[in-house]
Amino acid sequence: MKVKRYIAKDVQEAMIKVKSELGRDAIILHTRKIKKPGLTGLFKKPLFEVVAAVDTNKKDDNKLSYPLNQNLFNESLIKNSKALDSNTYDSFNINNEISSIKSLLTNVLSKMDSTPSSQNIQVLEKYEKVFKEENVIKPVIDKILSIVSRQMSITDKNDQSIRNAIKIILKDYLGSPFTMENYTKKQNVIFFVGPTGVGKTTTIAKLAAKQTIMNNKSVAFITSDTYRIAAVDQLKTYSEILDVPFTVVYEPNELGGAIEKHYDKDFIFIDTAGRNHKNKELLLEIKSLISTVESPIVFLLLSLTTGYKDIESIIQSYDFLDDYNLIFTKADESSSLGNILNAKFLSSMPLSYITTGQSVPDDIELIDIEKIVNSLVGD
Ligand SMILES: Nc1nc2c(ncn2[C@@H]2O[C@H](COP(=O)(O)OP(=O)(O)OP(=O)(O)O)[C@@H](O)[C@H]2O)c(=O)[nH]1
Ligand SMILES: [Mg+2]
């Protein structure tokens, strides 16, 4: 068995040296941080000492150079113990050697299992606090930070690299926004659902204005919100301003005919009456309305001024929908973005638009994941 000591500026560099000199069968016996000798060394970054060994009687057999997990570690031990059997050592020495290697390796492996250092724990705690202030719920915080923590190597990372890791994980978690530009079907029938006063009718007007004015698309409005006279008038007014045809449906079975009437339009936006999400009967009406349409697109609107408990119960009450996209409204009136993360966690549905005021059509944008993530980590 050949045993060699390596000094490098970090563990990765040491591993490369080990691998290139001792080959793929090398096992790590010991690793530690050391200071450069002399007074000046005290002020320099620490170096890493790695002690590695390889069984010189064995040929390279494409195994990893260092065990990344317990299975590889055990395989490596078994291989080495077989190799040692054929040597001149007596079995007592072999067993002693194996158990000392095992304890050293367990020690190294436990560090490589990326138990965060105290410095890393401090940084993680800092972000836990930041997320809590944004009203992100604990399971989401735990999920994000546990991924970050798993990705930390035994080398200490600085705040900036942890922040970057968190940003990458958050972006991945929130996914790509779902935009109306993705709707490439000949005709797209889009329902807008959500609690009373969340901003459904206003959002329809904003999106319709963008599609007609900026994208040169044709749009029709249908409303099933006949509970309030004012609700019909509201959408009718927008239809007149935007010069968009408008139809009222009183029963779900009238919807098919209304859609057919607007067969030549690229988009049909269907406004629904705001529903108290605790009223199951009213929600069933929405369900039966949507079920009359083949491959409908649904937007569920949530206001960012709504507290987490209500967001949770709204999302639960719409779980009869197989598929929908999320629009967040009233970002201008909210001081935290945590519910965007929470809603994603609870629904797993794509994020889509965010509205930022009452002005039609300006106060709406495709959700900018980068912006949200930067804001969440305080960039
Ligand atoms: N501050 C702010 N107000 C908004 C936003 N979007 C809509 N509103 C306002 O919220 C109020 C309700 O908007 P509506 O579009 O009527 O809401 P709705 O969901 O259609 O309401 P119902 O049909 O009664 O369920 C109006 O005063 C809107 O101007 C927004 O992004 N920010
Ligand atoms: Mg409305």
Side-chain angles (χ1 to χ4, degrees), residues 33 44 57 73 86 89 108 133 145 155 167 185 195 209 232 256 268 284 290 296 315-316 332 352 378:
K33 270 190 207 172
K44 294 255 168 68
N57 291 333
F73 158 74
S86 61
Y89 289 102
V108 173
E133 276 164 14
L145 295 185
T155 35
K167 279 161 72 168
K185 276 197 304 174
V232 175
I268 296 183
L284 283 176
I290 294 175
I315 288 176
Q316 275 167 5
D332 53 311
S352 205

Side-chain angles (χ1 to χ4, degrees), residues 238-251:
Y238 284 127
S239 83
E240 284 163 7
I241 296 168
L242 297 168
D243 196 18
V244 158
F246 171 71
T247 305
V248 182
V249 295
Y250 295 89
E251 298 290 335

Side-chain angles (χ1 to χ4, degrees), residues 10-158:
D10 55 34
V11 173
Q12 283 77 12
E13 187 186 293
M15 290 307 178
I16 290 167
K17 284 185 181 177
V18 171
K19 202 170 174 180
S20 63
E21 274 197 39
L22 297 185
R24 291 164 162 267
D25 250 4
I27 52 171
I28 308 304
L29 301 180
H30 168 72
T31 178
R32 68 177 174 129
K33 270 190 207 172
I34 52 168
K35 287 275 179 202
K36 278 187 182 156
L39 198 58
T40 52
L42 286 175
F43 304 104
K44 294 255 168 68
K45 274 183 136 184
L47 295 170
F48 282 83
E49 179 190 74
V50 173
V51 179
V54 69
D55 173 11
T56 45
N57 291 333
K58 284 277 306 176
K59 281 198 185 113
D60 185 277
D61 64 354
N62 287 335
K63 281 277 180 305
L64 281 170
S65 60
Y66 50 94
L68 290 177
N69 59 35
Q70 202 63 36
N71 283 344
L72 285 173
F73 158 74
N74 288 336
E75 272 179 35
S76 189
L77 272 179
I78 292 161
K79 260 189 332 174
N80 282 302
S81 69
K82 280 182 189 156
L84 284 167
D85 269 348
S86 61
N87 278 347
T88 50
Y89 289 102
D90 62 33
S91 64
F92 178 76
N93 280 337
I94 290 167
N95 285 339
N96 267 355
E97 187 160 343
I98 288 173
S99 52
S100 80
I101 290 173
K102 190 172 178 174
S103 78
L104 281 167
L105 277 176
T106 308
N107 190 16
V108 173
L109 281 170
S110 70
K111 287 183 186 169
M112 292 187 82
D113 255 357
S114 65
T115 307
S117 68
S118 58
Q119 186 196 337
N120 286 342
I121 287 170
Q122 268 178 21
V123 180
L124 291 177
E125 280 173 356
K126 180 182 122 181
Y127 284 104
E128 185 174 355
K129 202 166 154 238
V130 168
F131 291 150
K132 269 188 189 153
E133 276 164 14
E134 287 285 345
N135 297 322
V136 181
I137 53 166
K138 185 141 186 352
V140 178
I141 299 178
D142 289 350
K143 182 174 171 162
I144 308 271
L145 295 185
S146 74
I147 301 172
V148 178
S149 165
R150 272 207 303 279
Q151 289 187 355
M152 285 173 179
S153 76
I154 57 173
T155 35
D156 283 341
K157 294 264 171 82
N158 60 32

